[in-house]
Amino acid sequence: MTEDAPRHVRPYGDTTGDGMIQLSFTLPVAPGPHAEAAAAAFAAKMGLDPAMVVHAKGVGERFTFFVVYGRSPVILDLDEVKVVEREFPLLTAKEINLKIRSRLKRRMVVVGATVGTDAHTVGLDAILNVKGFAGEKGLESYRELRVVNLGAQVDARDLVERAVSERADALLVSQVVTQRDAHLQHVREVADALTTGWPARQRRPKLLVGGPRFDPASAAALGADRVFAKGTTPREVASYLVHELPAGGPARRSR
Amino acid sequence: MTARAPLLHLDQRTVRKARKLAERAAAPVVELARTHTTTSVERAVLRLAGLTGADAEGIPWVNRLVDAVAADVGLEHGVALPVFDALASGEHADLATLAQKAAAGGAQFRLPAGVGHQRARRLAQRAVGAGIGRIDRARKDRDVMLRRLGDPPKPWIYLIVATGDIYEDIPQAQAAARAGADIIAVIRSTGQSLLDYVPEGATREGFAGTYATQENFRLMRAALDEVSRELGRYVRLTNDASGLCMPEIATLAGLERLDMMLNDCMYGIIFRDINPRRTFIDQRFSRQIHARAGIVINTGEDNYLTTADAVDAAHTVVVSQLLNERFGLEAGLQDWQLGLGHAFEINPALPEQFRLELAQAQLVRELFPHAPLKYMPPTKHMTGNVFFGYLLDAFFNLAGVLTNQEIILVGMMTEGIVTPFLSDRDLALENVRYVRDACAGLAEDFVPARGGFIAQRAAQVLAESVELLERIADEGLFTAIADGTFGITKRPADGGRGLDGVVVRADGYYNPAGALLEQAGPVGRPA
Ligand code: B12
């Protein structure tokens, strides 16, 4: 933020401080003057003043779609705005490989899957496959990482079982379908399977969750260690993985 | 649609060569399908024979009965002979009672010989013939409705409705039809393609889609009949046949008068990890049923472009279309039933993206002049910027109009975000209507320059297709699929789900439905 950037802001329509915003929504109200008045009332209750219903169109007989322009009274204090800042430094591939070798004294094992009934693999592959994403090579290209990519539609228990047999250091779980909160449900299943299925004496692997519609702040609520949202790159994930390595910690695991 | 004069001046020898190669590549796979059966094919036979319903756990009786037969005598002779032999004994009132007893271990199966064999065969033929008769009647009903109500002009506007709850879907589908949709697609809940049984009854709990069940089919078709009468045009219904139960879902679609079905030769393999052999065997039977039912199939080549690049992999789409065409014709489908799929998926950031799209769309149009092509909107490059998405969808609609695509799937500006809101569909239809009306007849003025960019690009994609087909014809389709040729996804012939349901047919294999369908039914162009 530059020196003279204001701390308190309002939305910008075409003049500083005008507070103008646009929104669109549908009400289950038959089209007509009553529907338009309802839309204006709804927007007013959202705080818009004035609230201009600039477009109203019936969708079938029971619904009306609206576009509303209006002025929001909200003044935002930017100092109150919180973001999930990257809590770890972004390293180069070389630094990442070096850290794994010196701290773990063996290759780090990551097991990835899209769990539940979700069949989307492009996001997971973007992180794992050599081809990578946004010009960065995927985790498979790191010499000190051993990647097991189980693909999609993997049952949570099967994933954990495989992770046990591979002695995984991290589980990478992808979820794309979010209708009826399917993604949250599926991640919780993995967290539960880890709790019940992971050998007590073995160090529990990190649970990384990714997908375009996750709230980055929701890790704890999901029983995960970290959530990666839209636009994540492989290097970010690799950097996180080494950041989470215990400094000079145990090189070998029990068992 | 009457084919327009070709514009691209494709080398017809190359086109013929491509078809020959596709035939060669398909031949061993067809042979595999002719010599094998699957649990789902056998369950479809029982469905045709009239067996419905499920046990207390929701497992259909057809599954229970096929499992019981498999345990006693195996499936290599088909399920019909042992089942109708048991029925002929007179100890079981009907198929449903037999299935219940069999599930409880109270029925024994054997392979009948001699007179018993003849008797079982006759009974099976009669029962299954009645089921096929119901499919024929459904087809006639459609023809009558089409004549009475009128068939909407092409391009048909195809819209997806699938909230997960059939009772939410119905009013949304009716609203969509009133707003101009010609085809309503109810897509399935995630996970259904991996279920090795078809759920029963009306359902309200799907994820990102609604379960395909016979009752859901019936409810939606009835609702669309109602709205068709109101609108004075026949509104078509479509669903997905792919998955582990392809033959059964195809059968239910025929019985309940669905009009189109997503039925691709490789979608289940590549995007659901269903075993390749299982898929091809199931697919042949399901397409025989579709052929009989007068159902138009939709193939899924558009999907390859979500995992592969639409420019680099353009030829894999054409190759797959040629294979789908070959498999379809072999199973008895006619050209008017081959809704081959393709898509507008080239990265909009690429210079001349629209010209490249036109080249591909026109190429497909000319390669398959009699097929009701299904053109899919952009999905992969749709982002959270719904405004740009709306613009891109308009360009897609324009490409569809210019190149005479016949089934236009309506693009949603929220494609990159969520399954669409009610209003998204309405806005999307407004987009289609505007482009279709504003550009009516513009196709007539679309004459790509001879030897120009579009013609050259089309010729190049065709040449690459022939090259790939040569490789596939030599190395085999299973090898190509295992190598990741389609959708850059590798699927080995022995991998994936459902291989345990594949059975080699024995010499005396008998499938009354297969026998009736091979004789080619009353196929023809709809009135
Ligand atoms: C490609 C695609 C498909 C392909 C998938 C092919 C494949 N092998 O993956 C096919 C055609 C098969 C498909 C099918 C379906 N799809 Co789809 N599909 C898409 C599409 C077009 C693009 C998704 C994509 O590839 N994005 C690109 C990748 C790189 O982005 P990403 O996934 O966000 O991944 C990044 C980050 O999120 C993160 N990340 C992701 N995972 C992970 C994991 C870890 C560990 C980490 C660290 C990071 C990470 O890193 C990645 C790189 O930055 C979207 C629409 C869109 N434009 O987004 C719809 C979309 C995702 N699909 C959708 C739906 C509903 C389906 C179906 C369920 C439809 C149906 N009922 O049949 C079926 C799936 C059935 C099933 N069982 O899942 C919906 C989901 C809606 C929702 N929010 O619930 C979308 C949004 C379309 C829509 N608007 O309806 N689909």
Side-chain angles (χ1 to χ4, degrees):
Chain A
M1 211 179 285
T2 55
E3 282 298 308
D4 54 355
R7 179 177 148 191
H8 295 94
V9 296
R10 306 181 72 179
Y12 187 107
D14 73 346
T15 324
T16 300
D18 63 11
M20 290 302 290
I21 62 166
Q22 66 195 87
L23 69 153
S24 63
F25 55 90
T26 300
L27 291 178
V29 180
H34 188 240
E36 286 188 42
F42 178 77
K45 288 207 179 215
M46 289 179 74
L48 300 195
D49 182 20
M52 295 173 280
V53 179
V54 297
H55 177 70
K57 178 176 176 294
V59 181
E61 283 158 18
R62 290 171 28 222
F63 298 93
T64 311
F65 171 67
F66 306 96
V67 178
V68 172
Y69 275 63
R71 178 185 163 94
S72 164
V74 174
I75 299 171
L76 199 62
D77 180 352
L78 291 177
D79 285 358
E80 286 172 2
V81 176
K82 297 216 164 48
V83 280
V84 179
E85 300 273 9
R86 187 159 33 77
E87 70 279 23
F88 52 89
L90 204 56
L91 306 178
T92 65
K94 210 167 163 190
E95 290 167 328
I96 290 165
N97 282 325
L98 209 69
K99 277 224 159 95
I100 299 177
R101 208 171 331 148
S102 63
R103 291 206 187 154
L104 217 49
K105 312 227 163 32
R106 60 170 172 81
R107 290 170 88 197
M108 182 192 273
V109 182
V110 306
V111 178
T114 302
V115 294
T117 52
D118 197 327
H120 294 87
T121 56
V122 180
L124 180 70
D125 288 343
I127 302 297
L128 298 182
N129 287 3
V130 174
K131 194 173 158 211
F133 184 71
E136 287 181 12
K137 287 212 157 62
L139 301 190
E140 283 177 355
S141 70
Y142 289 75
R143 205 174 333 121
E144 298 300 329
L145 282 174
R146 189 162 72 80
V147 175
V148 182
N149 184 345
L150 300 180
Q153 302 173 318
V154 177
D155 183 81
R157 279 158 313 190
D158 294 347
L159 167 63
V160 169
E161 214 170 277
R162 183 69 183 267
V164 172
S165 71
E166 299 284 353
R167 298 181 153 224
D169 297 286
L171 264 61
L172 270 61
V173 169
S174 179
Q175 284 294 285
V176 174
V177 176
T178 62
Q179 214 198 20
R180 299 193 186 199
D181 286 341
H183 60 316
L184 307 181
Q185 190 184 315
H186 290 150
V187 170
R188 288 198 190 101
E189 281 169 20
V190 177
D192 290 348
L194 257 182
T195 305
T196 53
W198 197 259
R201 290 167 49 230
Q202 215 166 304
R203 193 174 56 205
R204 195 181 149 119
K206 292 280 164 200
L207 177 56
L208 282 64
V209 173
R213 297 271 95 77
F214 278 107
D215 172 2
S218 65
L222 291 171
D225 292 293
R226 197 169 195 294
V227 166
F228 289 87
K230 213 173 148 56
T232 303
T233 68
R235 196 152 67 94
E236 286 175 310
V237 178
S239 300
Y240 169 79
L241 287 172
V242 296
H243 180 74
E244 290 298 307
L245 275 176
R252 240 164 295 275
R253 277 174 276 169
S254 43
R255 196 175 82 168
Chain B
M1 165 150 304
T2 44
R4 287 204 312 145
L7 305 172
L8 296 173
H9 309 284
L10 297 170
D11 176 22
Q12 289 309 308
R13 265 186 331 224
T14 314
V15 174
R16 276 194 299 276
K17 183 170 174 194
R19 281 214 159 75
K20 274 253 150 54
L21 285 166
E23 193 173 340
R24 232 181 80 205
V29 180
V30 171
E31 187 51 25
L32 172 91
R34 283 175 171 280
T35 51
H36 290 68
T37 186
T38 72
T39 41
S40 183
V41 167
E42 299 303 323
R43 294 193 300 252
V45 170
L46 294 180
R47 287 188 183 274
L48 282 168
L51 182 54
T52 58
D55 67 11
E57 289 162 41
I59 301 301
W61 292 120
V62 291
N63 286 62
R64 295 294 187 208
L65 191 49
V66 165
D67 290 349
V69 170
D72 281 2
V73 293
L75 290 179
E76 54 271 24
H77 292 86
V79 79
L81 289 174
V83 162
F84 283 89
D85 172 63
L87 264 190
S89 71
E91 287 167 35
H92 318 282
D94 51 25
L95 271 179
T97 323
L98 173 63
Q100 286 161 28
K101 284 203 217 156
Q108 284 289 310
F109 297 97
R110 56 165 196 166
L111 255 185
V115 187
H117 178 103
Q118 291 309 323
R119 192 177 50 179
R121 222 179 139 101
R122 258 196 325 275
L123 281 175
Q125 201 167 3
R126 195 182 310 146
V128 169
I132 296 199
R134 279 180 60 202
I135 290 181
D136 290 344
R137 272 198 301 287
R139 180 174 179 159
K140 281 215 188 77
D141 289 346
R142 180 193 305 119
D143 288 344
V144 169
M145 286 194 82
L146 278 169
R147 261 199 311 275
R148 265 199 213 136
L149 297 175
D151 202 1
K154 302 243 180 92
W156 289 336
I157 295 173
Y158 179 119
L159 208 107
I160 296 173
V161 174
T163 62
D165 178 345
I166 189 69
Y167 295 108
E168 288 282 342
D169 290 346
I170 285 174
Q172 293 207 14
Q174 291 184 323
R178 289 187 187 106
D182 299 308
I183 304 167
I184 298 295
V186 182
I187 58 170
R188 291 177 307 177
S189 171
T190 61
Q192 180 166 9
S193 28
L194 301 186
L195 294 181
D196 208 355
Y197 65 92
V198 182
E200 282 279 323
T203 66
R204 316 194 64 159
E205 63 287 323
F207 287 106
T210 306
Y211 284 99
T213 72
Q214 182 163 13
E215 180 62 6
N216 286 350
F217 285 2
R218 192 188 65 76
L219 287 169
M220 185 57 93
R221 188 56 264 173
L224 292 182
D225 280 351
E226 187 188 299
V227 82
S228 297
R229 282 189 208 100
E230 169 195 319
L231 296 170
R233 78 183 142 85
Y234 186 70
V235 181
R236 287 178 166 78
L237 174 60
T238 176
N239 208 296
D240 304 331
S242 59
L244 283 173
C245 295
M246 202 190 269
E248 292 171 87
I249 294 187
T251 302
L252 299 177
L255 291 170
E256 299 302 336
R257 191 173 22 96
L258 268 65
D259 307 283
M260 296 191 176
M261 286 302 267
L262 193 119
N263 183 311
D264 186 77
C265 68
M266 293 184 279
Y267 182 84
I269 301 172
I270 293 167
F271 297 103
R272 294 295 184 283
D273 198 13
I274 293 174
N275 175 262
R277 293 180 208 277
R278 167 80 177 250
T279 300
F280 284 112
I281 301 161
D282 281 349
Q283 178 203 202
R284 181 164 187 272
F285 185 85
S286 65
R287 287 185 175 188
Q288 290 179 310
I289 297 271
H290 291 329
R292 181 79 177 210
I295 281 178
V296 171
I297 65 161
N298 293 166
T299 64
E301 284 82 359
D302 47 286
N303 297 291
Y304 304 159
L305 305 180
T306 63
T307 46
D309 179 78
V311 176
D312 301 342
H315 63 295
T316 66
V317 167
V318 172
V319 166
S320 173
Q321 287 167 332
L322 287 161
L323 290 169
N324 260 314
E325 175 190 55
R326 181 65 219 142
F327 287 128
L329 293 174
E330 193 282 328
L333 291 164
Q334 301 199 351
D335 281 330
W336 65 268
Q337 289 175 293
L338 297 174
L340 300 172
H342 61 139
F344 187 99
E345 286 281 26
I346 298 174
N347 187 346
L350 204 69
E352 298 181 295
Q353 175 242 10
F354 190 63
R355 294 176 92 188
L356 287 164
E357 292 287 10
L358 287 175
Q360 182 77 10
Q362 185 62 25
L363 169 65
V364 175
R365 179 67 285 170
E366 293 193 12
L367 286 177
F368 306 99
H370 305 294
L373 299 177
K374 180 189 174 200
Y375 198 33
M376 301 288 285
T379 64
K380 182 178 176 173
H381 298 287
M382 295 294 277
T383 66
N385 183 351
V386 291
F387 303 101
F388 181 72
Y390 200 67
L391 174 66
L392 199 60
D393 279 333
F395 270 67
F396 158 74
N397 291 332
L398 179 58
V401 168
L402 280 182
T403 59
N404 280 305
Q405 304 299 320
E406 288 172 65
I407 300 172
I408 304 242
L409 195 132
V410 180
M412 296 292 149
M413 63 183 185
T414 40
E415 171 62 37
I417 311 170
V418 283
T419 47
F421 288 177
L422 181 78
S423 54
D424 297 328
R425 283 200 205 97
D426 197 65
L427 287 165
L429 285 168
E430 200 171 335
N431 188 332
V432 175
R433 271 197 309 270
Y434 166 69
V435 175
R436 193 177 58 175
D437 296 348
C439 301
L442 186 62
E444 172 183 311
D445 303 315
F446 173 55
V447 184
R450 203 167 177 148
F453 180 92
I454 287 179
Q456 277 185 34
R457 167 70 188 164
Q460 178 199 346
V461 173
L462 178 60
E464 287 171 7
S465 307
V466 168
E467 222 171 277
L468 176 57
L469 276 166
E470 267 164 353
R471 214 188 77 209
I472 298 176
D474 288 345
E475 293 173 10
L477 182 53
F478 287 112
T479 309
I481 294 171
D483 286 348
T485 304
F486 301 100
I488 20 181
T489 304
K490 296 182 178 172
R491 300 295 190 201
D494 292 326
R497 303 172 200 232
L499 183 58
D500 51 355
V502 171
V503 179
V504 185
R505 293 186 194 177
D507 271 348
Y509 175 80
Y510 177 61
N511 176 342
L516 283 165
L517 295 169
E518 299 275 356
Q519 294 163 9
V523 273
R525 234 190 142 76

